[in-house]
Amino acid sequence: MTTVRRAVLTLPAAPLGPDNPLPALRAPAGAGAHAVDARTLAELPRDMARGIGRAPLRSLLPAPVRDGYGRERTPADLDAIVIENDRLRVTVLPGLGGRVHSLHHKPTERELLYCNPVLQPAAFALNGAWFSGGIEWNIGATGHTTLSCSPLHAATVPAPDGGPMLRLWEWERLRDLPFQVDLWLPEDSDFLYVGVRIRNPHERPAPAYWWSNIAVPEERRVLAPADTAWHHGYERGLNRLPVPVTEDGTDRSYPLNGSHAADFFYDLPDGQRRWIAALDAAGHGLVQTSTDPLRGRKLFLWGTERGGRRWQEWLTEPGTPGYAEIQAGLARTQLEHLELAGEAEFSWLEAYGPLAADPATALGDDWAAARADVEGNLEAALPRAAVDAAYTAWREGAADAEPETVLAAGSGWGALEVLRGGYALPGTPFPESTLGPDQEPWRELLRTGVLPPPAKGTGPGAPLVAAPWRDMLETAPADPSTEYHLGIAQWHAGDRAQAVRSWERGLRRAEVRWPLLYCLAVADREDGHPERAAERFEEAFADHEDREGGAVVAAALGREAAAALLATGRAGRARELWARLPDEVRARGAFRFLEIRILLAEGRPGEARAVFDAGFEVADLREGAEILGEVWAEVTDEPLPDAYEFRMRPS
């Protein structure tokens, strides 16, 4: 009999720490790593080019940046939910994006996923904190979801066969869409079933994005039913290549055959069953399959060069095995977004389980025979018709079922949106009881038309930017806090001139000035006025310095201000500001690196080299970042030490 129960998973973990208190006015810092240059875009199929150009993020609003973590790990107890039958044991982390941490096949005692032995946040999510391993559910926009390290709502629901099912759900805030992920194990099944639904409750269409990301040991062969793939590296290109053997004679179905990090998006023919598998040298491994709407399949590999190996170490314990990612998504590539019509939905079913194939065939040189062998074994283990039938049974008989036993709580943002919009969302309740302090001012605005000001002497609360909230802010009494939030909503809508006017109006009467000064500084920098931006960043830091705001705000403002001063040739003022930061802030790796840049600007390369030699780690180093190597080259022409090598493309 299938069971669903609470459990505790203990791992060495680096605490997530506090969110960045500054509003995320800019596009994701790593967006360039996933871009495509204009010439390549012009040569792509028209529908693919449209998907790539659909609704790019102008900012991360209203999501916060999550950069408060470090790299000191201590044992931590993580809330888990275990789904189990006689064949599989599935461990889910509802407080960390609903990540499937483990998929253990009991008869063979095989772990089908790559299970990270530690929880180490790193700056790979759109808004920062993310960790590697397991199966993650990516919704929102190109990249790892802003919910990577956030809690989801979780409850038991009756499965289509009458047993228990685990439902995860939340309100995704970048695209303003609710979604659900239903996981269940039919009795005696070797496959985990996952029903996914994204709903658009609004009248307007919305851009939609989904990729299920599966970490597997990298010593595998990855197979998918395609003869070509779209290759995307970190050089802004997207080109179509034959698979598995590419034009240079390399068999790219083995992740360890790649030198540098790369994506291979398999071009599955229409009508072809959707699947992807990762098999070891004995022909055993994991297979993922789905109903047809989940069209895309992908392999991501880190590569064997120093940068890729360093990232592998960075995300786990040195000396542990590496991993690759096999993925499944709504579009052909992760660079594309689909259009979800108003008051419509996307839904599909996925299945994850073990696969045993003939190693002589599945790992042989005949790609067509290898694919046929894997697909034949998949059909024997889980017929395509059975997956389609399971989807129909779930969608018609279980997807709308109301939760029974609540196992975990997510955020209150969905409850606030349901309260405002009066949406009927069967199966995914967002009750008012989940509203918390972040939502309370907005509920008051909804109820009275007035946004309550923050407590005296404190900074503003979390922003909201959707059009209905912006409309309410425009008619609310115009105090400094309301002007701040109105400006953020206008900025998000692309009306930057009006946003600046709102912030300037608010600044004239503000007691706490640093939030408005920060916004105006970002606007100055975006509009090509770096000198004025630096002055406003510096003024914002000074305003906060006169208050009891703690090290979190000081660190966020100080890092921005010092970097802006350096960018405008004001090394002396950057040094003075850096020295005013709390001691524990200056000791962090990001601020040790900032000190190196100040020393170089002061003409002191020897002292800058000494900081490198002493060693430091920038905990929130972004995916694809090359800044450590660039600054090292200003210090010396010696080779970059392995500890600072994070380049993901050929140098």
Side-chain angles (χ1 to χ4, degrees):
M1 181 177 293
T2 299
T3 60
V4 177
R5 58 183 170 84
R6 287 190 177 95
V8 173
L9 177 68
T10 302
L11 291 177
L16 286 170
D19 290 345
N20 192 305
L22 308 178
L25 300 176
R26 285 164 288 185
H34 303 288
V36 176
D37 62 69
R39 185 175 66 178
T40 299
L41 198 62
E43 297 172 351
L44 295 176
R46 188 171 300 176
D47 61 332
M48 183 181 287
R50 277 198 305 269
I52 292 173
R54 179 174 286 119
L57 291 180
R58 287 190 289 257
S59 76
L60 282 170
L61 293 167
V65 172
R66 312 203 71 179
D67 60 1
Y69 54 87
R71 294 190 55 79
E72 293 291 328
R73 297 190 287 267
T74 56
D77 292 338
L78 306 176
D79 291 334
I81 299 171
V82 174
I83 314 167
E84 189 166 11
N85 66 4
D86 287 342
R87 312 290 294 177
L88 287 173
R89 182 169 59 250
V90 185
T91 304
V92 181
L93 304 178
L96 293 165
R99 183 78 58 98
V100 176
H101 173 75
S102 169
L103 187 62
H104 180 79
H105 188 234
K106 295 158 75 172
T108 59
E109 298 185 347
R110 293 179 185 273
E111 173 56 52
L112 301 180
L113 305 173
Y114 165 78
C115 290
N116 197 331
V118 305
L119 175 62
Q120 177 55 64
F124 277 65
L126 286 163
N127 63 334
W130 170 87
F131 62 103
S132 63
I135 306 171
E136 60 176 305
W137 318 110
N138 289 305
I139 181 173
T142 300
H144 297 281
T145 177
T146 61
L147 296 167
S148 292
C149 291
S150 296
L152 303 188
H153 299 281
T156 57
V157 183
D161 61 0
M165 177 168 74
L166 173 63
R167 173 162 299 157
L168 306 167
W169 73 99
E170 245 302 355
W171 196 283
E172 200 285 316
R173 301 179 69 206
L174 290 183
R175 302 304 194 183
D176 214 15
L177 302 176
F179 70 97
Q180 71 188 75
V181 180
D182 288 355
L183 304 97
W184 76 100
L185 292 172
E187 190 172 353
D188 298 325
S189 173
D190 280 309
F191 283 82
L192 170 69
Y193 285 5
V194 182
V196 184
R197 175 164 62 170
I198 305 172
R199 286 189 272 200
N200 180 6
H202 313 293
E203 294 180 355
R204 54 173 171 78
Y209 173 93
W210 183 277
W211 282 81
S212 301
N213 185 352
I214 309 138
V216 294
E218 66 181 347
E219 293 182 351
R220 295 291 186 269
R221 189 184 204 188
V222 174
L223 299 100
D227 292 313
T228 60
W230 294 93
H231 169 259
H232 180 260
Y234 286 76
E235 299 164 286
R236 302 174 71 88
L238 187 64
N239 55 305
R240 198 172 184 178
L241 299 175
V243 291
V245 179
T246 51
E247 293 155 348
D248 62 359
T250 303
D251 188 340
R252 301 293 181 179
S253 64
Y254 292 91
L256 287 173
N257 282 353
S259 298
H260 293 89
D263 300 323
F264 290 91
F265 298 102
Y266 297 105
D267 199 3
L268 276 62
D270 291 340
Q272 168 64 52
R273 183 176 185 178
R274 315 304 196 195
W275 60 266
I276 190 168
L279 306 180
D280 64 17
H284 295 280
L286 170 78
V287 66
Q288 187 270 2
T289 188
S290 72
T291 50
D292 289 353
L294 202 66
R295 175 183 185 180
R297 292 299 185 275
K298 169 193 164 182
L299 163 65
F300 168 78
L301 56 95
W302 284 105
T304 56
E305 290 295 321
R306 290 199 308 157
R309 304 331 291 172
R310 181 65 177 123
W311 276 119
Q312 293 265 32
E313 293 177 351
W314 187 254
L315 297 171
T316 186
E317 292 282 11
T320 57
Y323 77 97
E325 294 170 359
I326 57 175
Q327 303 188 21
L330 284 174
R332 277 171 295 188
T333 74
Q334 285 177 324
L335 310 182
E336 300 167 76
H337 297 76
L338 304 185
E339 182 176 283
L340 178 55
E343 301 179 343
E345 69 174 51
F346 288 140
S347 61
W348 64 91
L349 185 98
E350 305 180 44
Y352 297 80
L355 187 81
D358 174 16
T361 304
L363 278 65
D365 294 335
D366 187 333
W367 180 242
R371 286 168 36 193
D373 185 64
V374 170
E375 189 158 341
N377 283 285
L378 171 59
E379 184 66 18
L382 184 65
R384 183 178 187 178
V387 174
D388 292 338
Y391 167 75
T392 300
W394 166 74
R395 183 62 194 85
E396 295 181 356
D400 288 346
E402 292 301 319
E404 294 181 335
T405 303
V406 174
L407 300 175
S411 77
W413 295 113
L416 186 67
E417 293 302 329
V418 168
L419 192 64
R420 183 199 59 76
Y423 303 120
L425 299 169
T428 55
F430 293 95
E432 286 191 50
S433 59
T434 60
L435 294 169
D438 284 344
Q439 294 83 41
E440 192 55 43
W442 297 99
R443 178 160 68 167
E444 189 69 11
L445 174 66
L446 184 63
R447 189 178 69 84
T448 68
V450 178
L451 184 69
K456 187 175 178 61
T458 64
L464 281 175
V465 296
W469 296 106
R470 187 174 73 247
D471 292 343
M472 283 184 267
L473 288 168
E474 286 176 344
T475 59
D479 63 15
S481 175
T482 302
E483 295 283 19
Y484 165 83
H485 283 289
L486 175 58
I488 288 177
Q490 291 164 333
W491 181 272
H492 175 264
D495 192 351
R496 295 190 169 188
Q498 190 59 55
V500 168
R501 285 192 285 272
S502 295
W503 291 328
E504 288 175 338
R505 284 196 305 268
L507 188 62
R508 286 195 286 269
R509 293 187 291 139
E511 177 197 351
V512 178
R513 296 166 54 83
W514 65 260
L516 291 150
L517 286 165
Y518 170 78
C519 292
L520 289 167
V522 172
D524 282 334
R525 182 159 58 192
E526 296 289 305
D527 290 342
H529 305 294
E531 291 82 6
R532 191 167 67 199
E535 291 167 2
R536 279 178 159 160
F537 280 129
E538 190 177 19
E539 188 179 352
F541 178 80
D543 179 74
H544 172 264
E545 201 174 21
D546 294 336
R547 309 175 188 283
E548 293 184 4
V552 176
V553 177
L557 286 173
R559 194 172 178 182
E560 292 272 11
L565 290 167
L566 281 176
T568 54
R570 307 174 197 185
R573 286 162 67 177
R575 162 70 65 185
E576 179 188 345
L577 188 148
W578 180 85
R580 283 152 45 197
L581 288 164
D583 291 345
E584 65 93 1
V585 171
R586 291 203 310 272
R588 298 176 194 169
F591 291 87
R592 300 291 307 283
F593 183 56
L594 182 57
E595 181 186 14
I596 289 174
R597 295 174 60 196
I598 294 171
L599 288 166
L600 286 172
E602 293 171 334
R604 300 155 68 184
E607 293 172 70
R609 172 64 185 267
V611 180
F612 267 118
D613 290 344
F616 61 89
E617 294 181 321
V618 180
D620 63 338
L621 196 68
R622 291 294 312 190
E623 175 185 8
E626 300 179 357
I627 186 65
L628 294 181
E630 292 168 358
V631 173
W632 172 265
E634 295 181 43
V635 174
T636 176
D637 57 2
E638 295 178 20
L640 181 66
D642 288 346
Y644 304 119
E645 176 60 276
F646 291 92
R647 287 175 291 197
M648 297 176 71
R649 60 176 180 164
S651 57

